[in-house]
Amino acid sequence: MRHNGQVIVITRYSVSEADAEAFRTEAANAVAALAARPGFLRHRLGRAADDPELWTLVTEWEGAGPYRRALSSYEVKVAAVPLLSRALDEPSAYEVVDGHSP
């Protein structure tokens, strides 16, 4: 098993069609704050192909430490915690144990 220390954070959201644009704006604000923190690698925002009310935000981090420190920063608390508080209540942080990057 390979382990490079990286972490992926997968948060899922149930968002009504009427709230989709507001959600996307909230997600963009959260990603901007997270992306400014050390250790942030990339993100993806997606919507389920079979259920347009189910969304996910995936962020990738150099490790658990940078992710945890990012969440504790004032800027992230202001910009991202409102979005993250809407997430479905389930585990969201995963250590990367295998994968390929181009």
Side-chain angles (χ1 to χ4, degrees):
M1 179 180 346
R2 276 186 356 208
H3 175 55
N4 62 9
Q6 291 183 348
V7 169
I8 55 174
V9 179
I10 304 167
T11 50
R12 297 186 324 132
Y13 304 87
S14 181
V15 180
S16 70
E17 287 288 329
D19 194 30
E21 276 308 307
F23 172 79
R24 288 185 72 168
T25 299
E26 214 171 276
N29 292 338
V31 166
L34 291 166
R37 305 305 306 165
F40 179 89
L41 298 173
R42 68 190 62 83
H43 85 283
R44 292 182 184 207
L45 180 65
R47 185 165 61 177
D50 297 331
D51 182 352
E53 293 191 351
L54 186 60
W55 291 74
T56 188
L57 175 62
V58 179
T59 58
E60 296 181 40
W61 296 85
E62 290 177 353
Y67 171 63
R68 290 185 183 122
R69 285 188 292 279
L71 289 181
S72 68
S73 77
Y74 176 77
E75 295 82 3
V76 170
K77 286 180 182 177
V78 169
V81 169
L83 174 75
L84 297 175
S85 69
R86 293 173 52 147
L88 299 178
D89 187 18
E90 58 191 21
S92 60
Y94 299 84
E95 66 178 333
V96 175
V97 296
D98 196 11
H100 172 72
S101 295

